[in-house]
Amino acid sequence: MSSTTSNRRTLRQQAMQNIHQIAPHQFTGSHRVYLDAGEDIQVPCRAVTLTDALKSQIFLYDCSGAFGDPAQQVNVRRGLPTLRQTWLDARQDTTPTQRQFSPDDIELEQWPTEFSSDCRRALPGKTVTQLHYARAGIITAEMKFIACRENMAIDNLASQQDERLQPQQSGRSFGAHIPKHINAEFVRAEVAAGRAIIPLNINHPEAEPMIIGRNFLVKVNANIGNSSVSSSIEEEVEKLIWSTRWGADTVMDLSTGRRIHQTREWIIRNSPVPIGTVPIYQCLEKVGGKVDALSWELFLETLQEQAEQGVDYFTIHAGVLWEFLPLTAKRLTGIVSRGGAIMAQWCQTKQQQNFIYQHFREICALCAQYDISLSLGDGLRPGSIADANDEAQFAELRTLGELTKIAWEYDVQVMIEGPGHVPLQLIEANMTEQLKHCHEAPFYTLGPLTTDIAPGYDHITSGIGAALIGWFGCAMLCYVTPKEHLGLPDKEDVKQGLITYKIAAHAADLAKGHPAAQLRDNALSAARYDFRWQDQFNLALDPDTARAYYQQSAPAGQADEHAEFCSMCGPKFCSMKLNQQLRDLAVPVDAVRPHTLVANSNASTNNADATALAKELV
Amino acid sequence: MSSTTSNRRTLRQQAMQNIHQIAPHQFTGSHRVYLDAGEDIQVPCRAVTLTDALKSQIFLYDCSGAFGDPAQQVNVRRGLPTLRQTWLDARQDTTPTQRQFSPDDIELEQWPTEFSSDCRRALPGKTVTQLHYARAGIITAEMKFIACRENMAIDNLASQQDERLQPQQSGRSFGAHIPKHINAEFVRAEVAAGRAIIPLNINHPEAEPMIIGRNFLVKVNANIGNSSVSSSIEEEVEKLIWSTRWGADTVMDLSTGRRIHQTREWIIRNSPVPIGTVPIYQCLEKVGGKVDALSWELFLETLQEQAEQGVDYFTIHAGVLWEFLPLTAKRLTGIVSRGGAIMAQWCQTKQQQNFIYQHFREICALCAQYDISLSLGDGLRPGSIADANDEAQFAELRTLGELTKIAWEYDVQVMIEGPGHVPLQLIEANMTEQLKHCHEAPFYTLGPLTTDIAPGYDHITSGIGAALIGWFGCAMLCYVTPKEHLGLPDKEDVKQGLITYKIAAHAADLAKGHPAAQLRDNALSAARYDFRWQDQFNLALDPDTARAYYQQSAPAGQADEHAEFCSMCGPKFCSMKLNQQLRDLAVPVDAVRPHTLVANSNASTNNADATALAKELV
C-alpha cells in the first residue's frame, strides 16, 4: 500500500469519526424545538431563550434536520428517518418497485450500508409533482410544513412580548409580494403560478420541505462533491451534514470522480435538505471523459438512475444551443460552465444540436413521475466581468424561458440558473430579463461575482452580488467558497461560503421587507445594547466564532459575560456604556434648549482674521 | 515582574521583530516601479510583468511606500524619508519651529527614537491648505503626483498592446463625472470645488499624496490603535505597515490607551499614507476618563499637539448638538459612536451646547495653518438596522452641511462621515441626502453593515454595504474587521478587513465606470483563461492567499504552474480546458445551423401522453 493510499484511508476514517462527533449537534445556548403545523406536522427550529427579564424565545430557521436534534440518534449507514413516508403513502399515486440501477463500483464492501434497494414511482398515468397538486387546488402536507417554516420568526412569542423586537423598516420589493403572514394556501398558489418550487423527489422522503421563490425567504445552496483528484465518500457526507448545520437550504452533489453513484446514495439517504445534481457529470464519467461518446440514451439512463435514488433537482444545460456557440467566440473567458462546455463541445464535435434540448419533453415526462424539479442551467453564463450580460448569455436565457413553458405543460417544477461574473451596475438587468423571459419562474444564481481580481476571496466578491440580486428578486443563491477558481473547498471553506451567503440572503430579506426578517436583527442588537453577550452570541449566524472572538481578545479575567465593554474600545470608550449612562442622566425633551447656530457668529469669515484668531489661540 | 508583563514584553519584541521582517516587502512576482509625473515627481507602484507572449507590464496602485521598495532601508526608529520636504520648502509659506507639546509618558526610554522635535507652521497670515492653493489656481506637486497615481492603470502600456485588456463595460455613475484621463488640472478643480480632499498635514512630509473624492478611485481607510486593555506601540506600528501593504489608503490611529502621543508619533513618522485621529479620545485619556472634566481648552490644546505631530485629518463630532439628544431616546441602540457618546454625555452633564460646535471656527482657523482636513464625525449614526435613517441621523447630517460651508470659508478641506448600520434598501438615501445637504463634500462611511446578525463576520455584512455606497458615490470606505463588536482586531483581522474593503472599493469603481478599473479584471481573467496561474496570483488582491490555496488543494505533483486544471474540477471537468478544445474545433460562424425549436415538436402537450412516453423510455 502506497503512503498516499494510506493517507487517504486515514482521512476517510477521520471523516467518519467526525460524522459521529457532529451528530447530533446543538449550538451552545440553542435547543431544538418543533413547531406544530397541525395534522401531526412538526417543523424543526433552533430556539434561543433570551436572558432578559422577559425570557422570550426566538425561533430560528434550522436546516440541520435530525443532526440538530440531540433526542435523535442517526446512523449514517442507515440514513435519516423518512419524514414524508406517510404523506407519500396517503396520496396513493405511487407504487414501490425495485430499482433498475445499482452501484457502478466494485469497491463497495468498503462502504457497507443498510440502505434500501427499493424505490417509489408514480402509478401509470399519474403525475406526482407539487405543481400538479397545486394546480389541482390541493394543499399538501409539504405546503403546510413550509408555511409554518417560513413564518417561524413572525410567530415568535418574543415579538409580541418585547416591542423593541418589532420591525421598524419597510422594504423595497422590486415587485415581490410577500404577505404579512404566509399560509399554506399562499404556498399552494405560488407553486401553482410557477413562481415557487418545492424540490422534493418522492424517493427522498428523508428531506424536510422547503420552498424556493421570490415571495419567500431567500435560500442558499451549497455545492459539495468529490473530484477525480480529491476527497472520499465519508468526507462528502461530512460536508453535507456540516453544510446543513451552517444553513444550506439545498445541497448540490457535484461529484465528478469515482464512486459517483455510491457517494450520492450516502448523501441523499443522510440529507435533510433537497439534493441537486448535474447529471451530465456522471455521464461523462461513464464514458471515461470522452465527450463525443455522450449520447441521449446514456443521459436518459443516468437521469433514471438518479431519479430512483431520490435526486430532488437536476441541473440540465438544455439552453446551450449549437447555434449560440459562435456568440461566445469573442469572449474573454469563453464558456465557463462545466456542463455548458461539455455540451458545447459535444455539439461542435458531432455537428448536432444539443441532445438535452432535443429531448427536453422526454426529460419532463420523466421528472413528472418522480417530482424532480428542473434547474435550467446557464451553460453560457459569463466567467468574467468583461463577458457579463452579453448576447450569448441572454440568447440562452430566452431559450430557458421557452423551455420553462414546456416543463409547465408537464406539471414539472422549474427554476432558472443565472450568472456568474457581473459588475454591480449590470446585476439588476439580469433579474429583470429573467423575470421577463422566464415568466417569473424562480431565479437561482451563482453569486454573481462583482469583480475578478480577488481569487481566494470570491465568497466575498460574490456575496456582494448575491445580496444585491437576492434583493432584486433572486430566489436562491448558490454559494461560492474562498477556494473558487483555485481548488476543491474543504470544510472550513464550505462554512465560510455558507456564512457569507446566509448574510447575503438575510440582507436581501431585510431589503425586500420580508416581515419575518428584522426580528433577529432587533433581538441581537437589543442584546448588544443591554450587554447580554451570551444572547448576542446565541443569536448570531455563527455563535461559535462570535463567542471565540470575544473571549480570545478579552484580557484575562475580563472575558466574563457581564462585562460592559470589550477589548475593542475598553471600559472608558464603550459607546454603549456611555450611552446607557446618558439615558440615566436624561432630562425631559422639553428641557433641552433650541438649536442656536453659534458656530456662525463667533468668528469672521475672513481668512486673514481667522488665521490671526488661530494665532491667538495658539 | 508578573507573567502578564513578561508576556506583553515578549509580544512587543515579537512585533518589533516582525517590523524588521516586513520591511521592505515585495510580493512574489511583483516589483516596485516609479512612474514619472514630471518635475522629478516619482509615483510608486507595484508592477506585474505578465508571462504571455507580449510580456506586458501591469501597474497596480501601491500604498506601501518605502516599505514596498527593496531598494530602500527603513529604520522605524528614524522614520520614512520626507518625500514632500522640498515641495513644502519651495512654497515659502511655512516656518520651522519647536513643538510646544512633548510626550505625555515617562516610559519613553523603552522606545528610544531619532524623531525630530521640530515642526512646521504656516507663516502669519498664510493659509497652507491644498484647497487654498486650488482656489488660487495653483497646481501643486501633490496634485501632479495624484493625477499620475490615479491614472496608473490607464497609462499601462499593456492596455494598448493587448486588446483583450480593454474595458468592455460602461458604468452607471449616479452623477459622478470621471474623465477618461485624469490630469493635474482636474485634480485642482475638484479640490477647489470641495468635491475632493487631499489630506496632508505640512508636518507629515513622509506621506505620499492621495485624494478622496467621488470622481476618483474609491479609497479605503483602516483603523488601528491600542485600547487600554490591549496592544503596544510596536504592535500598532506593525499594523500600520501591514495595513499599507494590503492597500489602506489612509489609516486612523484610534488609540485610547496609555502612551497615545508616543504611539501616534511612531505611526506618523512611519506612515506613507495620511493619518487620521479622533482627538477627543486623547482628551478623555488626559482627564482620566471623566467626561465632565472635558473642556474646550483641553480640546484645543490636544488639536494643537496633534497638528504639530502631523495628523492629516481630525474626526470631530461637531454635529452632535445638545438639542438632538432627545431624538435618540427611542432608538434601539442609542448612540454608538464613541465620540458621539462622549459629547452627548458632556452636553447632558454640563447642560451646555457641544463645545466642538461652539468653537468650530477656531478649529478651522487652526486647521488652515497646518492643512489638516476635517472629517465631520457622525456621532449620531445608527448602530442597528432598526435605527437606520432616523431623524437623529439626518438632523446631524444637515448640521454637518452647515459646518462644511464654514470650513470652506477658511479654505479648510472637509469630508463627511456616514453610517453605520443600514439595510440595503436605505443605503441610496444616505448618499443622496449627503450630497444634497453637504454640498458634494466627499462622503466617508463606516460600512454600512447591512444586517446585525453576524458578529464575527461584520467585514462581510459591511463590505456588501460598502460596495453599494461606493458605487452610489461614497469617496472613502472605512473598513470593518471580523472582530467588530467583539474585540480589538489583530493583524489577520486587519488584513481580512482590508481585502474585503479593497474588493468593495474596486467593485464600486467598476460599477461607476472608472476608466482605470476594468483593466485589472481583464488581465486576471485573461490569465485565468490561458492557465497562466502565476499571472493570476500576481494580479490578485492577495497574491499570497491565492497561491497558497491553489498549492494546498492541488494533489501532489500536480501543483505546477502549467497544469490546465485545478482540484476543484479535475482535468476532465475543467470548463476552461474544454472551452479551449472547443475553440480548436471551431467552425466558421456561417457553418452553424439556425435555431430549430425541436423541443416544441417531438412530444405532445398532454400529461397523460407524456407519462406514457416516459414509461416507454423507462
Side-chain angles (χ1 to χ4, degrees):
Chain A
M1 190 167 69
S2 74
S3 74
T4 306
T5 312
S6 162
N7 284 345
R8 281 218 110 350
R9 190 151 299 177
T10 312
L11 262 179
R12 277 169 32 204
Q13 284 163 351
Q14 179 73 48
M16 189 55 88
Q17 188 65 36
N18 287 344
I19 292 172
H20 289 302
Q21 280 174 1
I22 65 178
H25 168 272
Q26 211 165 247
F27 288 109
T28 306
S30 293
H31 54 282
R32 168 58 63 89
V33 162
Y34 290 86
L35 303 181
D36 184 9
E39 298 172 31
D40 213 25
I41 298 170
Q42 302 287 312
V43 180
C45 74
R46 174 154 83 86
V48 173
T49 305
L50 302 181
T51 61
D52 62 358
L54 291 170
K55 304 269 175 273
S56 316
Q57 265 199 339
I58 304 283
F59 300 137
L60 306 175
Y61 198 110
D62 188 348
C63 300
S64 64
F67 295 106
D69 183 355
Q72 297 195 46
Q73 288 297 326
V74 181
N75 178 343
V76 293
R77 297 187 188 280
R78 196 175 300 141
L80 292 175
T82 52
L83 168 73
R84 295 170 57 230
Q85 181 97 36
T86 52
W87 308 344
L88 292 164
D89 288 343
R91 288 202 274 265
Q92 299 188 323
D93 52 6
T94 57
T95 178
T97 176
Q98 270 288 112
R99 294 194 198 175
Q100 296 181 46
F101 297 90
S102 55
D104 52 350
D105 197 289
I106 54 163
E107 297 178 47
L108 291 179
E109 59 270 24
Q110 290 182 30
W111 289 274
T113 72
E114 300 169 34
F115 302 152
S116 163
S117 60
D118 283 350
C119 73
R120 190 186 285 267
R121 191 189 302 160
L123 286 168
K126 294 289 184 188
T127 296
V128 298
T129 68
Q130 295 287 324
L131 176 54
H132 177 72
Y133 305 133
R135 283 173 162 178
I138 298 165
I139 294 177
T140 61
E142 287 84 348
M143 296 170 192
K144 291 173 189 161
F145 186 103
I146 286 165
C148 175
R149 199 173 198 185
E150 292 278 324
N151 276 323
M152 198 163 288
I154 305 178
D155 292 340
N156 266 314
L157 286 175
S159 60
Q160 290 140 35
Q161 288 170 349
D162 185 350
E163 69 171 19
R164 291 194 298 174
L165 305 191
Q166 294 291 344
Q168 292 79 4
Q169 308 288 8
S170 47
R172 183 179 167 203
S173 69
F174 291 94
H177 296 288
I178 307 172
K180 284 277 174 217
H181 191 276
I182 287 168
N183 60 33
E185 166 54 24
F186 181 76
V187 173
R188 186 205 63 75
E190 288 291 298
V191 172
R195 271 195 301 271
I197 68 168
I198 300 174
L200 286 175
N201 186 320
I202 55 173
N203 287 313
H204 188 196
E206 299 90 348
E208 295 170 343
M210 55 78 69
I211 194 161
I212 301 168
R214 75 179 165 130
N215 293 325
F216 299 92
L217 293 164
V218 175
K219 302 305 187 297
V220 168
N221 172 70
N223 292 335
I224 61 170
N226 64 353
S227 80
S228 64
V229 295
S230 187
S231 85
S232 70
I233 289 181
E234 290 87 342
E235 287 168 79
E236 294 311 316
V237 173
E238 194 193 350
K239 279 188 206 164
L240 162 74
I241 299 170
W242 182 248
S243 297
T244 63
R245 179 187 303 176
W246 297 111
D249 293 289
T250 77
V251 166
M252 291 194 76
D253 171 17
L254 301 186
S255 292
T256 57
R258 289 189 310 163
R259 296 182 289 268
I260 285 185
H261 181 103
Q262 201 63 2
T263 301
R264 189 168 54 234
E265 188 71 27
W266 276 73
I267 288 175
I268 294 172
R269 297 286 76 82
N270 285 293
S271 179
V273 301
I275 297 296
T277 63
V278 185
I280 199 75
Y281 295 174
Q282 187 179 10
C283 293
L284 193 62
E285 285 296 338
K286 286 179 178 176
V287 295
K290 296 187 198 315
V291 170
D292 56 6
L294 292 172
S295 67
W296 160 243
E297 292 70 23
L298 181 72
F299 190 69
L300 178 63
E301 176 189 297
T302 305
L303 295 184
Q304 184 69 39
E305 171 184 347
Q306 299 196 10
E308 289 180 353
Q309 284 188 293
V311 169
D312 299 291
Y313 61 92
F314 290 149
T315 291
I316 59 172
H317 298 89
V320 179
L321 299 191
W322 188 18
E323 53 270 35
F324 295 161
L325 303 187
L327 298 174
T328 69
K330 291 271 182 195
R331 278 183 161 184
L332 184 60
T333 48
I335 299 174
V336 297
S337 148
R338 288 190 276 177
I342 293 165
M343 293 317 300
Q345 199 175 61
W346 188 89
C347 294
Q348 201 69 327
T349 309
K350 309 287 271 194
Q351 295 282 300
Q352 287 177 29
Q353 184 58 284
N354 181 338
F355 59 75
I356 307 178
Y357 177 77
Q358 298 284 80
H359 294 273
F360 186 74
R361 287 178 177 272
E362 292 159 81
I363 294 168
C364 293
L366 175 73
C367 290
Q369 291 191 305
Y370 295 91
D371 201 4
I372 297 166
S373 298
L374 287 175
S375 187
L376 299 180
D378 55 334
L380 302 181
R381 67 169 174 267
S384 57
I385 292 296
D387 295 341
N389 291 26
D390 70 355
E391 180 51 22
Q393 182 191 336
F394 287 137
E396 180 184 34
L397 183 71
R398 290 189 295 269
T399 306
L400 301 186
E402 297 168 14
L403 296 173
T404 298
K405 289 205 154 175
I406 294 172
W408 285 347
E409 291 175 22
Y410 294 81
D411 283 351
V412 168
Q413 305 184 90
V414 188
M415 61 182 168
I416 310 293
E417 296 187 13
H421 293 238
V422 184
L424 287 170
Q425 81 276 19
L426 301 183
I427 291 176
E428 191 172 351
N430 275 275
M431 193 67 230
T432 51
E433 290 296 301
Q434 192 271 345
L435 287 172
K436 184 166 72 181
H437 297 296
C438 299
H439 325 292
E440 296 195 88
F443 205 21
Y444 166 33
T445 61
L446 178 80
L449 286 72
T450 54
T451 167
D452 305 340
I453 69 168
Y457 299 83
D458 278 328
H459 58 312
I460 299 176
T461 63
S462 67
I464 293 167
L468 214 56
I469 204 161
W471 175 24
F472 296 151
C474 184
M476 186 157 77
L477 309 171
C478 181
Y479 87 168
V480 171
T481 79
K483 290 274 169 59
E484 183 76 16
H485 299 117
L486 299 169
L488 197 71
D490 62 18
K491 266 181 69 180
E492 181 56 26
D493 298 318
V494 166
K495 177 176 168 183
Q496 291 298 317
L498 271 165
I499 298 286
T500 303
Y501 273 68
K502 294 304 275 190
I503 289 169
H506 186 76
D509 287 333
L510 279 176
K512 288 201 297 187
H514 192 294
Q518 206 193 319
L519 175 89
R520 188 173 181 177
D521 296 78
N522 289 2
L524 197 144
S525 286
R528 183 172 282 154
Y529 187 71
D530 295 346
F531 293 106
R532 285 182 276 116
W533 288 100
Q534 296 306 321
D535 289 350
Q536 195 183 143
F537 304 147
N538 296 341
L539 289 164
L541 271 183
D542 176 359
D544 300 348
T545 297
R547 187 171 275 115
Y549 280 179
Y550 176 73
Q551 288 170 347
Q552 159 195 331
S553 53
Q558 295 182 333
D560 68 80
E561 55 189 275
H562 305 295
E564 295 200 340
F565 61 92
C566 75
S567 69
M568 184 165 177
C569 306
K572 284 200 293 278
F573 286 89
C574 176
S575 64
M576 295 275 178
K577 187 178 175 187
L578 285 165
N579 195 60
Q580 295 200 340
Q581 291 167 353
L582 176 67
R583 287 201 181 170
D584 294 341
L585 282 176
V587 289
V589 174
D590 57 8
V592 175
R593 296 178 196 177
H595 182 165
T596 48
L597 258 176
V598 182
N600 276 327
S601 61
N602 68 348
S604 84
T605 61
N606 180 290
N607 272 345
D609 286 4
T611 309
L613 172 67
K615 271 188 65 189
E616 283 172 39
L617 293 169
V618 175
Chain B
M1 189 166 69
S2 72
S3 75
T4 308
T5 312
S6 162
N7 284 345
R8 284 219 107 350
R9 188 151 300 177
T10 311
L11 262 179
R12 278 168 32 204
Q13 285 164 350
Q14 179 73 48
M16 189 55 88
Q17 189 63 34
N18 288 344
I19 294 172
H20 289 301
Q21 282 174 0
I22 64 177
H25 168 271
Q26 209 164 244
F27 288 108
T28 305
S30 292
H31 54 282
R32 169 59 62 90
V33 162
Y34 290 87
L35 303 180
D36 183 8
E39 298 172 33
D40 212 24
I41 298 170
Q42 301 288 312
V43 179
C45 73
R46 172 154 86 86
V48 173
T49 305
L50 302 182
T51 61
D52 61 358
L54 292 170
K55 303 268 175 272
S56 316
Q57 266 199 338
I58 304 284
F59 300 136
L60 306 175
Y61 198 109
D62 188 347
C63 299
S64 64
F67 295 106
D69 183 355
Q72 297 195 47
Q73 288 297 324
V74 182
N75 178 343
V76 292
R77 297 186 187 280
R78 195 176 298 139
L80 293 174
T82 53
L83 168 73
R84 295 170 57 230
Q85 182 95 35
T86 52
W87 307 344
L88 291 163
D89 288 343
R91 289 202 272 266
Q92 298 188 325
D93 52 6
T94 57
T95 178
T97 175
Q98 271 287 115
R99 293 194 199 176
Q100 295 181 47
F101 297 91
S102 56
D104 53 351
D105 197 288
I106 55 166
E107 298 180 47
L108 292 178
E109 61 269 26
Q110 290 184 28
W111 288 274
T113 72
E114 299 170 34
F115 302 153
S116 163
S117 59
D118 282 350
C119 74
R120 190 186 286 265
R121 192 188 304 160
L123 287 169
K126 294 288 186 192
T127 295
V128 298
T129 69
Q130 295 287 325
L131 176 53
H132 177 74
Y133 305 134
R135 283 174 163 178
I138 298 165
I139 294 176
T140 62
E142 287 85 348
M143 296 169 192
K144 291 173 188 159
F145 186 103
I146 286 165
C148 174
R149 200 173 197 185
E150 292 279 325
N151 275 323
M152 197 163 286
I154 306 176
D155 291 340
N156 266 313
L157 286 174
S159 60
Q160 290 141 34
Q161 290 171 348
D162 184 351
E163 69 171 21
R164 289 194 300 174
L165 305 191
Q166 293 291 343
Q168 294 79 2
Q169 307 290 6
S170 47
R172 183 179 167 201
S173 70
F174 291 94
H177 297 287
I178 308 172
K180 285 275 175 222
H181 192 275
I182 287 168
N183 60 31
E185 166 53 24
F186 181 75
V187 173
R188 185 206 62 75
E190 288 291 297
V191 171
R195 271 195 300 270
I197 68 169
I198 300 172
L200 287 175
N201 186 322
I202 55 173
N203 288 314
H204 188 194
E206 299 89 348
E208 294 169 344
M210 54 78 70
I211 193 162
I212 301 168
R214 74 178 166 131
N215 293 326
F216 299 92
L217 293 164
V218 175
K219 303 305 188 295
V220 168
N221 172 71
N223 291 335
I224 62 169
N226 64 353
S227 79
S228 63
V229 295
S230 186
S231 86
S232 69
I233 290 180
E234 290 89 341
E235 288 168 79
E236 295 311 316
V237 173
E238 194 193 350
K239 279 188 206 164
L240 162 75
I241 300 170
W242 182 247
S243 298
T244 61
R245 178 188 303 177
W246 297 111
D249 293 289
T250 77
V251 167
M252 291 196 77
D253 171 17
L254 301 186
S255 292
T256 57
R258 292 188 309 164
R259 296 183 288 268
I260 285 185
H261 180 104
Q262 202 63 2
T263 301
R264 189 168 54 235
E265 188 71 27
W266 276 73
I267 287 175
I268 296 171
R269 296 288 76 80
N270 285 294
S271 180
V273 301
I275 297 295
T277 62
V278 186
I280 199 74
Y281 294 174
Q282 186 179 10
C283 293
L284 194 62
E285 284 296 338
K286 286 179 178 176
V287 295
K290 295 188 199 314
V291 169
D292 56 3
L294 293 171
S295 67
W296 161 244
E297 292 71 24
L298 181 72
F299 190 71
L300 178 63
E301 178 189 297
T302 305
L303 295 184
Q304 184 70 39
E305 172 184 346
Q306 299 196 11
E308 288 181 355
Q309 285 188 293
V311 170
D312 299 292
Y313 61 92
F314 290 149
T315 290
I316 60 172
H317 298 89
V320 179
L321 299 193
W322 188 19
E323 53 272 36
F324 295 161
L325 303 187
L327 297 174
T328 68
K330 292 271 182 194
R331 277 182 160 184
L332 184 60
T333 48
I335 299 173
V336 297
S337 148
R338 289 190 277 179
I342 293 165
M343 294 317 299
Q345 199 176 61
W346 188 89
C347 294
Q348 200 70 325
T349 308
K350 308 289 268 191
Q351 294 283 298
Q352 287 176 29
Q353 184 57 286
N354 180 340
F355 60 75
I356 306 178
Y357 177 77
Q358 298 284 81
H359 294 274
F360 187 74
R361 286 178 179 275
E362 293 158 80
I363 294 168
C364 292
L366 175 74
C367 290
Q369 290 191 306
Y370 296 91
D371 200 4
I372 297 165
S373 297
L374 286 175
S375 187
L376 299 181
D378 54 336
L380 302 182
R381 68 170 172 266
S384 56
I385 292 298
D387 295 341
N389 291 28
D390 71 356
E391 179 53 23
Q393 183 193 336
F394 286 137
E396 181 184 34
L397 184 70
R398 291 188 295 269
T399 306
L400 301 185
E402 297 169 15
L403 296 173
T404 298
K405 288 205 154 172
I406 294 172
W408 285 347
E409 291 175 23
Y410 294 81
D411 283 351
V412 169
Q413 304 184 90
V414 188
M415 61 182 166
I416 310 293
E417 296 188 12
H421 292 237
V422 184
L424 287 169
Q425 80 277 19
L426 302 183
I427 291 176
E428 191 171 352
N430 275 275
M431 194 67 228
T432 51
E433 290 296 302
Q434 192 271 346
L435 287 171
K436 183 166 73 181
H437 296 295
C438 299
H439 324 293
E440 297 196 86
F443 205 21
Y444 166 33
T445 61
L446 177 80
L449 286 71
T450 53
T451 167
D452 305 340
I453 70 167
Y457 299 83
D458 278 329
H459 58 312
I460 298 176
T461 64
S462 67
I464 294 168
L468 215 56
I469 204 160
W471 175 24
F472 297 151
C474 184
M476 185 156 76
L477 308 171
C478 181
Y479 87 168
V480 171
T481 79
K483 289 274 171 59
E484 183 76 15
H485 299 119
L486 299 170
L488 198 70
D490 61 18
K491 266 179 70 180
E492 181 56 26
D493 297 319
V494 166
K495 176 176 169 183
Q496 290 298 317
L498 271 165
I499 298 285
T500 304
Y501 272 67
K502 295 304 276 189
I503 289 169
H506 186 76
D509 287 333
L510 279 176
K512 289 201 296 188
H514 191 295
Q518 206 193 319
L519 175 89
R520 189 171 180 178
D521 296 78
N522 288 1
L524 197 145
S525 286
R528 183 172 282 156
Y529 187 72
D530 295 347
F531 293 105
R532 286 181 277 115
W533 289 99
Q534 296 306 321
D535 289 350
Q536 195 184 143
F537 305 147
N538 295 341
L539 289 165
L541 271 184
D542 176 0
D544 300 348
T545 297
R547 188 171 274 116
Y549 279 0
Y550 175 72
Q551 288 171 346
Q552 158 196 330
S553 54
Q558 296 185 333
D560 69 81
E561 56 189 275
H562 306 295
E564 293 198 341
F565 60 93
C566 75
S567 69
M568 184 166 177
C569 307
K572 283 200 293 277
F573 286 89
C574 178
S575 63
M576 295 276 178
K577 187 177 175 187
L578 283 165
N579 195 60
Q580 294 200 340
Q581 292 167 351
L582 176 67
R583 287 198 183 172
D584 294 343
L585 284 176
V587 290
V589 174
D590 57 8
V592 174
R593 296 180 193 175
H595 180 163
T596 48
L597 258 175
V598 182
N600 277 326
S601 61
N602 69 348
S604 85
T605 61
N606 179 290
N607 272 344
D609 287 4
T611 310
L613 172 68
K615 272 189 63 186
E616 282 172 39
L617 293 168
V618 174

